[in-house]
């Protein structure tokens, strides 16, 4: 996981910088409010290593999106898995109950249950916004991804 999520992305970031690409957009992962010892797994270490590289090589143009569970339609071996049938209602439910669950967000790992999923469309629109807007850079949380996606007119 460290090699795939970290080192491979670091190579891509450095190649983009070397070839004069003006902006790099990385889709990373929400930290789920996990205790630091759990963030030491290869998956999270790799993601954070790649994020650091993006932000250091592209300090005023690099974008890191940190969505939670991404839902949409997914095809595996020719079969469509409708993740949106779970993700969309769950997102609406969690957004509707945010004012009640907000006090729980300070608990370790609470976001494993409380972080709202993000639609693949919102992630894509946030990427489009980041490509089009030169003032768009830095780390984007779940809510910032939703806001950036809402700013795109299709």
């Amino acid at each position: 996981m460290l090699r795939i999520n970290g080192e491979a992305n670091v190579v891509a970031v450095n190649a983009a910088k070397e070839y004069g690409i003006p902006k790099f957009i990385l889709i990373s992962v929400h930290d789920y409010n996990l205790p630091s010892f759990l963030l030491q797994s290869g998956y999270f270490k790799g993601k954070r290593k790649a994020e650091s590289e993006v932000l250091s090589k592209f300090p005023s143009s690099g974008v890191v999106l940190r969505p939670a569970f991404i839902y949409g339609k997914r095809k595996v071996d020719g079969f469509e898995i409708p993740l949106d049938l779970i993700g969309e209602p769950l997102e609406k439910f969690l957004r509707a109950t945010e004012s009640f669950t907000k006090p729980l967000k300070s608990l370790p790992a609470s976001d494993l249950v409380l972080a709202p999923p993000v639609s693949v469309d919102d992630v894509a629109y946030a990427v489009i916004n980041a490509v089009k807007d030169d003032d768009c850079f830095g780390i984007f949380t779940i809510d910032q991804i939703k806001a950036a996606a809402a700013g795109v007119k299709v």
Side-chain angles (χ1 to χ4, degrees), residues 23-31 43 47-48 50-51 54-55 61-68 70 118-131 136-149:
K23 183 171 257 194
F24 197 97
I25 302 167
L26 176 73
I27 299 172
S28 190
V29 64
H30 182 65
D31 69 10
Y43 180 77
K47 290 287 192 177
R48 295 306 179 249
E51 288 180 10
V54 168
L55 298 174
S61 64
V63 176
V64 173
L65 303 179
R66 286 186 175 173
I70 299 174
V118 182
S119 78
V120 69
D121 292 336
D122 283 343
V123 174
Y125 290 141
V127 168
I128 291 168
N129 189 26
V131 168
C136 182
F137 61 92
I139 296 174
F140 283 64
T141 63
I142 295 167
D143 289 337
Q144 291 168 319
I145 291 169
K146 296 287 287 180

Side-chain angles (χ1 to χ4, degrees), residues 69-140:
F69 166 66
I70 299 174
Y71 67 87
K73 301 230 185 297
R74 181 176 180 169
K75 285 193 178 182
V76 177
D77 294 329
F79 294 101
E80 190 172 88
I81 301 171
L83 296 174
D84 54 333
L85 293 179
I86 297 166
E88 188 173 3
L90 183 57
E91 178 186 13
K92 288 180 179 178
F93 173 77
L94 289 170
R95 294 251 178 232
T97 59
E98 262 179 335
S99 59
F100 302 109
T101 60
K102 195 169 193 160
L104 301 174
K105 288 227 174 222
S106 62
L107 297 173
S110 59
D111 278 357
L112 285 170
V113 206
L114 300 176
V118 182
S119 78
V120 69
D121 292 336
D122 283 343
V123 174
Y125 290 141
V127 168
I128 291 168
N129 189 26
V131 168
K132 291 171 55 176
D133 185 353
D134 289 338
D135 294 327
C136 182
F137 61 92
I139 296 174
F140 283 64

Side-chain angles (χ1 to χ4, degrees), residues 1-68:
M1 288 308 235
L2 180 62
R3 286 179 55 208
I4 294 167
N5 291 301
E7 295 165 15
N9 283 318
V10 167
V11 169
V13 170
N14 287 318
K17 185 67 174 176
E18 183 180 324
Y19 284 97
I21 305 299
K23 183 171 257 194
F24 197 97
I25 302 167
L26 176 73
I27 299 172
S28 190
V29 64
H30 182 65
D31 69 10
Y32 294 100
N33 200 20
L34 292 172
S36 60
F37 73 91
L38 289 176
L39 293 173
Q40 297 307 308
S41 72
Y43 180 77
F44 285 103
K45 272 180 99 167
K47 290 287 192 177
R48 295 306 179 249
K49 183 177 183 177
E51 288 180 10
S52 292
E53 197 70 12
V54 168
L55 298 174
S56 71
K57 294 290 194 281
F58 296 89
S60 60
S61 64
V63 176
V64 173
L65 303 179
R66 286 186 175 173

